[in-house]
Amino acid sequence: MDSNDATGRDLAKRQLLKAGFGGLCALCLAGVGGRAIRTQASPAPRGLVRPRPGKWFREGAGGLVHCELCPWECTLDSGEIARCRVRSNEGGIGHTLAYGNPVLVQEDPVERLPFFHVLPSSRTLSVSTAGCNLACKFCEVWDMALVDPHEVHAYDMPPATVIDHARAARLKSVSYAFGEPVVFYEYMFETAELARDAGLLNLLHTAGYIQPAPLKELAARIDAANVDLKGFDTAFYRDICGGELAPVLESLVSLKRAGVHLEITNILIPTLNDDIGSIRRMCAWIRDELGADVPLHFARFYPLYRLANLPQTPVSSLDRARETALEEGLRYVYVSRVTGHAGENTYCPNCGEIVIGRVGFIIDEVHLSAGRCSHCGETIPGRWA
């Protein structure tokens, strides 16, 4: 894909958001593998926002409100909105502007998120609102995540409605993904509780930019998480992502300790975070702090948003990164967004045979029985049921 293709894709996506996802139905089902679901959700008005008292706020003197959800710890005067664009001070009380108003609700294969060790070939209902507490220059959904909820079309879908859709479509999970779930914490939290009661798995794809206390509370309701470890350099995080590395590493350790199935995605960006030395240090840290069995996805970068001047990631760079991770002892290392690449498959670390064969989001072979390799009996970690 060249920069013109990327720009065209972004323009089409932006037009889709402004049009209320085309008015086809009340669910956005864009992307590979999307499948429409009949729905009774309300049409998508522009700027659907209903301020609601939120969690993780502390009231201060003089009507100030201190947000304790993420590392920014924003202090808000009355009428002010936090840097995430969705948490506000309404008359001295902390509110969320991202409850029950998703701008994206779509049915996806779990492999798209990506989860490669969770219910292979199953489908999930993905949900996201506007807002994000980072400002990545390579954000793939910038026209959804890096905007105010008043600026985009949103659907009127409280938690119970999300669960109704997932059950009606006979899905096995609900995922909080594509935008940044941390900023719609209250909406995700209550939806996750209902999902668990309904026998659905809760899947989280996040940048992991959250304080330890709210993450601990959330982790008790999450079955699997894929965390974007965007790089392994503090300067990269500050200059390119608009945040700090340390809180993300802390979140990864916390999720692992909480027993959440954990996967990691690293988008490899030419000249910015593809230094092989940094990649080696990252992989060694994952091995030592999280364990060699944590799946790591090296994802291809495509030029877009503020990094449209950079080339897409060469496959050779992805291959080199994967080889480095394997050398450092990681047992499940993947190459994402290169359809047909051998690195899409899951290989048994004991016998070397393919356990799950993939072509893009399609599963073409499975040699897994009760969580074990069918060839040699080796246990393969994951959420298989």
Side-chain angles (χ1 to χ4, degrees):
M1 179 183 293
D2 61 25
S3 59
N4 289 331
D5 292 334
T7 301
R9 183 179 66 178
D10 291 341
L11 179 59
K13 178 157 61 96
R14 189 158 62 249
Q15 290 171 338
L16 188 65
L17 283 166
K18 291 179 178 178
F21 303 125
L24 297 177
C25 67
L27 295 184
C28 172
L29 297 168
V32 177
R35 182 163 59 87
I37 305 172
R38 186 177 298 277
T39 174
Q40 298 301 318
S42 301
R46 187 179 182 87
L48 174 62
V49 176
R50 298 192 185 96
R52 176 189 179 100
K55 298 168 66 72
W56 306 107
F57 286 105
R58 176 171 54 85
E59 296 177 12
L64 294 177
V65 167
H66 307 281
C67 180
E68 300 179 330
L69 177 61
C70 91
W72 291 120
E73 298 182 327
C74 294
T75 295
L76 308 174
D77 205 343
S78 183
E80 286 189 329
I81 296 176
R83 62 191 302 156
C84 66
R85 304 172 181 82
V86 298
R87 295 175 71 77
S88 68
N89 179 346
E90 306 285 335
I93 299 175
H95 280 64
T96 173
L97 308 180
Y99 184 93
N101 56 342
V103 298
L104 177 146
V105 184
Q106 65 187 31
E107 184 184 332
D108 291 299
V110 294
E111 288 78 14
R112 185 183 185 192
L113 297 183
F115 282 105
F116 278 14
H117 288 234
V118 178
L119 302 178
S121 76
S122 71
R123 303 183 74 81
T124 185
L125 190 64
S126 302
V127 181
S128 184
T129 73
C132 184
N133 56 352
L134 290 177
C136 299
K137 294 180 180 179
F138 55 99
C139 182
E140 298 176 348
V141 290
W142 59 270
D143 42 7
M144 176 181 76
L146 302 182
V147 297
D148 188 299
H150 292 92
E151 298 174 347
V152 291
H153 294 265
Y155 291 102
D156 185 3
M157 293 186 69
T161 304
V162 174
I163 302 306
D164 287 345
H165 284 307
R167 296 183 68 180
R170 301 183 182 276
L171 305 179
K172 295 183 178 181
S173 62
V174 176
S175 58
Y176 314 96
F178 295 104
E180 178 45 66
V182 166
V183 302
F184 60 92
Y185 185 96
E186 295 83 357
Y187 184 39
M188 170 174 53
F189 189 91
E190 294 185 25
T191 304
E193 287 189 317
L194 294 180
R196 179 154 289 186
D197 291 343
L200 303 170
L201 293 187
N202 285 300
L203 311 182
L204 171 67
H205 190 141
T206 176
Y209 213 64
I210 183 172
Q211 294 280 53
L215 178 59
K216 181 178 179 180
E217 184 179 74
L218 177 65
R221 291 152 181 82
I222 296 298
D223 297 287
N226 189 312
V227 177
D228 287 326
L229 183 52
K230 300 172 187 290
F232 208 67
D233 179 80
T234 54
F236 173 83
Y237 255 86
R238 290 171 185 166
D239 298 342
I240 306 301
C241 306
E244 297 291 336
L245 171 61
V248 180
L249 299 182
E250 186 174 359
S251 292
L252 283 162
V253 172
S254 296
L255 286 165
K256 184 65 176 179
R257 289 177 177 170
V260 175
H261 169 73
L262 182 63
E263 303 192 21
I264 295 172
T265 295
N266 175 245
I267 299 178
L268 214 58
I269 307 173
T271 74
L272 293 182
N273 68 349
D274 60 345
D275 173 71
I276 204 67
S278 180
I279 291 170
R280 189 175 296 279
R281 290 192 296 274
M282 178 182 72
C283 295
W285 183 90
I286 292 171
R287 179 198 63 216
D288 295 342
E289 300 296 330
L290 306 176
D293 284 343
V294 171
L296 172 61
H297 304 255
F298 287 111
R300 194 176 204 178
F301 163 82
Y302 288 99
L304 76 173
Y305 192 40
R306 295 184 177 178
L307 298 184
N309 59 310
L310 294 180
Q312 66 184 21
T313 315
V315 175
S316 59
S317 296
L318 295 163
D319 288 339
R320 204 160 45 243
R322 183 171 184 269
E323 290 166 5
T324 299
L326 293 171
E327 289 171 1
E328 288 300 316
L330 300 188
R331 290 152 64 90
Y332 303 98
V333 187
Y334 299 102
V335 170
S336 295
R337 303 178 184 171
V338 183
T339 301
H341 194 286
E344 291 183 312
N345 301 322
T346 297
Y347 296 91
C348 175
N350 182 52
C351 69
E353 295 292 332
I354 291 178
V355 176
I356 304 173
R358 301 179 182 85
V359 179
F361 305 142
I362 299 173
I363 303 296
D364 63 355
E365 56 179 311
V366 177
H367 305 286
L368 191 69
S369 177
R372 293 179 178 273
C373 170
S374 298
H375 303 289
C376 71
E378 174 80 3
T379 298
I380 309 296
R383 291 301 305 261
W384 307 120

